[in-house]
Amino acid sequence: MSIHYHKEQGIFHLQSRESSYCIELVRGAYPAHVYWGKKIRDRHIAGMLERRGRASFSPTPFRDDLSFSFDSLPQEYPGYGTGDFRQPAYEVQLTNGTTVVEVEYTGHRIYSGKPKLEGLPAVYVEQDAEADTLELELRDRISGLTIVLTYTVLPDYDAIARSVSFRNEGKESMTILRAMSASVDFSHSRYDLLHLHGAWARERHVERRKLSPGMQGIESRRGSSSHIHNPFLALLSEDAGEEHGEVYGFSLVYSGSFSAQVEVDQYATARLNLGINPFDFSWLLEPGESFQTPEAVMVFSAEGLGGMSRRYHKLYRTRLCRGQFRDAVRPVLVNNWEATYFDFTADKIEHIAREGRELGIELFVLDDGWFGKRNDDTTSLGDWVVDRNKLPEGLEDLAERVRALDMQFGLWFEPEMISPESELYRQHPDWCLHVPDRRRTEGRQQLILDFSREEVCEAVAGMIRSILQSAPITYVKWDMNRNMTEIGSAALPPERQRETAHRYMLGLYRVLEQLTTEFPHILFESCSGGGGRYDPGMLYYMPQTWTSDNSDAISRLKIQYGTSLVYPLSTMGAHVSAVPNHQVHRNTSLRVRGHAAMSGNFGYELDLTAFTEEEKEEVRAQVKLYKDIRHLVQFGDYYRLRSPFEGNEAAWTVVSEDRSEAVLYYFRILGEANEPIVRLRTRGLDPEADYECLEDGAVYGGDRLMHAGMVIPPMRGDFQSFVWRFKRVSS
């Protein structure tokens, strides 16, 4: 058992493989955060919580204990209104209009396994022995509000999953105004805050800065996790780097609007909380009803950012992603989008697929434009019927043509959207998110279907199901190309309108659960203008995501590097596209484009029929190389070596779990005159083993490669790259 309860001290000790997390019941009623960090022995946890009397401006609710103040107590799940002036984790409004509630400990449960979250994605276990769970029950004796804090320890993954449920056990309704998934009070604020920010085509860039007094953090108000900020935050010790120092990671398993905030208070302590964004959110809780928050996954690493990342990678790859593709190598694909956009015929598609098969590509994906009257992006979303003008013999005929080439066939959808110029909108104009008498703001000439409504979800799922049953489809790219405005639902009463955005996510998750369960042979890939919804919530249903609409190899160095802070390479869609690149108009070699894309799920997004014979030979070699290394890329341990955010280089390596083989990537961005000799040291190998470099046959000691490094060959010009493969040899 990884959770221990010391009744005499009122202390809960949660232990993973390398870390400890301790909670103490102060006055037997208030769960206080005592410790989270490197693992400590169970018999030495008592007496760690230090309390001191403070000035009169930190109120003391109990006359018999002037050292007790909610304003300075490191709480596990703090509220507001009884003396704690810091950011609360929850806020509930009662029918009398007040928001003062005070929950106290009433009991707990400790058991093996991990509970499912009803209607929400979450990490899971395959056997109860993989995890232990603590449930702390807290209750407000006046209102009847009951809050259950759930902590699941996954020892082998060195992670703690937290969530919260609210139950109204009183006689009157109440309204939840804030419901964070996790809150942690740190004993000091000597940390750096790290997060991933960006924009469309420039996602998940790494940002690091020191904590300072006051509020700092990130959020999305867009109805999705967004291109702008990823639902991830980390606190780093000031000396922390890639492979050393303490790092605390927080990742939210949710795809909607979120908030992750850190407050440094008057006593130089830091409070971090994250969960559903309370901005424009509320939830009416009638007597007997419950509300469940999304899950937060917390990871501690004493081995820097690399240690944190590898913990997230292993957990998300094997206990968040699901289905038969979780453990299967992914096919090399070609997508026709940048080759044809909306202008294609069945013959043109077959020609591209034929070229792809000759180059060793395994999957053809038909992107936007195959349905309704979709000749541009102004029409037909919601009309999921085949355009017989482009495909006279239908989708099944095209799929069979592709399959006759011994290739798989995939298809693009954007099921959550509706075009004002569509039959579906003409029939059901109230099915979109909207507010009465207000403008219906469009994005990309489209509106958003109201997935908070069950009949909308059923109709959309039915249309998608019909298409998937009509042809031998083995891959779906599920896109979503705008954020929410005028967030309202025609099906909800006034007092529940601020529930719309979250109910939308619950409806979407329900549809995804249905379709991925009904079609287990289909590999689903998430997309939202590229990486606008790259989050753990979507990965629960779709094991990979189109990382960015920006397919430029040099831009992708930063995008994929930042993404790797949390997400495994097996979740990243990465393609070779045409030059000049369609997003940044940069020219790069086929070589560097291939090497950058081989750092994820590999594919091509261009017109294969336009290649010269020399280029075709190079592509054949790339495809063969990737097939040789994709088991490493998709299932190995990942180590970042050089950051493109810190200089003119980028480098990383992936090592098999048994350390018998590795693949090493190196990129130099801009050329230099009279360049220095560069040595690159790798990580993760067995220092006692010898490794053969398959590119030149040279044999190196693992210790030499990691400690002395290898010399990077001379390079000419901008945008250069190398990939080396290593295999352990008998000494």
Side-chain angles (χ1 to χ4, degrees), residues 394-618:
L395 205 58
E396 184 175 4
D397 169 73
L398 180 60
E400 289 298 347
R401 290 202 214 183
V402 172
R403 283 169 58 86
L405 300 170
D406 196 25
M407 293 183 74
Q408 300 176 57
F409 181 74
L411 199 58
W412 178 95
F413 288 93
E414 193 172 1
E416 300 164 64
M417 301 295 148
I418 184 170
S419 300
E421 182 57 41
S422 68
E423 289 302 316
L424 185 64
Y425 189 77
R426 281 186 277 271
Q427 294 171 14
H428 300 284
D430 67 328
W431 273 17
C432 66
L433 294 177
H434 69 281
V435 174
D437 303 320
R438 297 292 179 183
R439 176 196 303 112
R440 299 187 180 189
T441 301
E442 296 178 16
R444 202 178 182 240
Q445 293 82 50
Q446 60 198 50
L447 300 169
I448 304 178
L449 285 166
D450 183 0
F451 268 56
S452 73
R453 299 175 64 168
E454 187 171 349
E455 69 271 30
V456 174
C457 292
E458 289 179 355
V460 173
M463 287 186 282
I464 303 304
R465 183 182 296 111
S466 178
I467 292 292
L468 296 181
Q469 291 171 340
S470 72
I473 296 165
T474 60
Y475 168 100
V476 164
K477 181 178 179 180
W478 184 292
D479 210 344
M480 191 277 285
N481 279 313
R482 63 157 294 184
N483 293 142
M484 293 182 182
T485 57
E486 292 87 40
I487 303 174
S489 173
L492 291 175
E495 64 272 18
R496 290 192 179 273
Q497 284 298 317
R498 283 160 60 104
E499 301 175 10
T500 303
H502 182 59
R503 288 185 179 275
Y504 178 101
M505 293 313 310
L506 296 178
L508 173 63
Y509 290 150
R510 186 167 62 251
V511 170
L512 295 180
E513 182 69 29
Q514 291 173 0
L515 293 176
T516 56
T517 300
E518 291 176 31
F519 300 95
H521 66 285
I522 293 179
L523 171 59
F524 284 82
E525 178 176 281
S526 172
C527 178
S528 175
R533 205 162 58 182
Y534 202 133
D535 59 66
M538 296 306 292
L539 291 179
Y540 181 76
Y541 304 99
M542 306 184 184
Q544 63 188 56
T545 299
W546 179 226
T547 314
S548 176
D549 276 350
N550 185 349
S551 54
D552 170 64
I554 304 307
S555 299
R556 277 298 190 104
L557 297 180
K558 287 185 175 181
I559 293 169
Q560 292 171 195
Y561 187 98
T563 303
S564 76
L565 263 291
V566 193
Y567 304 103
L569 303 190
S570 62
T571 67
M572 297 187 206
H575 299 169
V576 175
S577 60
V579 291
N581 174 264
H582 291 196
Q583 292 79 47
V584 300
H585 310 289
R586 187 177 1 243
N587 280 292
T588 53
S589 69
L590 191 53
R591 173 190 176 94
V592 76
R593 282 178 278 156
H595 288 166
M598 287 183 203
S599 300
N601 293 313
F602 186 56
Y604 293 83
E605 192 153 332
L606 39 66
D607 188 352
L608 300 178
T609 66
F611 276 141
T612 65
E613 288 303 317
E614 182 180 2
E615 288 172 327
K616 289 179 183 179
E617 285 304 311
E618 187 168 358

Side-chain angles (χ1 to χ4, degrees), residues 157-305:
Y157 299 91
D158 251 344
I160 298 174
R162 288 185 61 176
S163 65
V164 182
S165 65
F166 293 74
R167 294 201 306 268
N168 183 353
E169 296 182 351
K171 297 180 179 180
E172 297 182 336
S173 64
M174 56 185 67
T175 301
I176 300 172
L177 304 177
R178 174 187 295 265
M180 294 291 103
S181 297
S183 181
V184 177
D185 282 0
F186 291 87
S187 61
H188 64 85
S189 59
R190 298 184 302 277
Y191 295 110
D192 290 351
L193 183 153
L194 184 146
H195 64 95
L196 304 174
H197 74 97
W200 173 79
R202 188 168 35 83
E203 299 92 338
R204 288 172 302 286
H205 283 205
V206 179
E207 180 73 18
R208 179 174 177 171
R209 63 181 185 271
K210 291 185 180 299
L211 288 183
S212 61
M215 293 296 301
Q216 48 246 281
I218 58 173
E219 64 178 346
S220 169
R221 302 175 183 177
R222 294 171 171 266
S224 70
S225 49
S226 87
H227 300 84
I228 318 304
H229 294 293
N230 197 260
F232 159 78
L233 202 78
L235 294 184
L236 290 66
S237 60
E238 294 171 319
D239 65 337
E242 188 60 36
E243 295 296 324
H244 67 276
E246 296 186 341
V247 177
Y248 299 85
F250 298 83
S251 175
L252 188 65
V253 187
Y254 190 59
S255 309
S257 297
F258 74 93
S259 172
Q261 304 288 334
V262 183
E263 181 177 8
V264 176
D265 75 349
Q266 60 187 326
Y267 302 119
T269 67
R271 169 174 290 174
L272 187 151
N273 58 41
L274 79 162
I276 295 173
N277 198 332
F279 177 83
D280 201 39
F281 164 84
S282 65
W283 195 274
L284 179 64
L285 207 59
E286 300 283 6
E289 291 184 344
S290 298
F291 177 81
Q292 174 65 54
T293 74
E295 182 170 85
V297 178
M298 309 191 320
V299 163
F300 169 78
S301 165
E303 298 84 39
L305 285 166

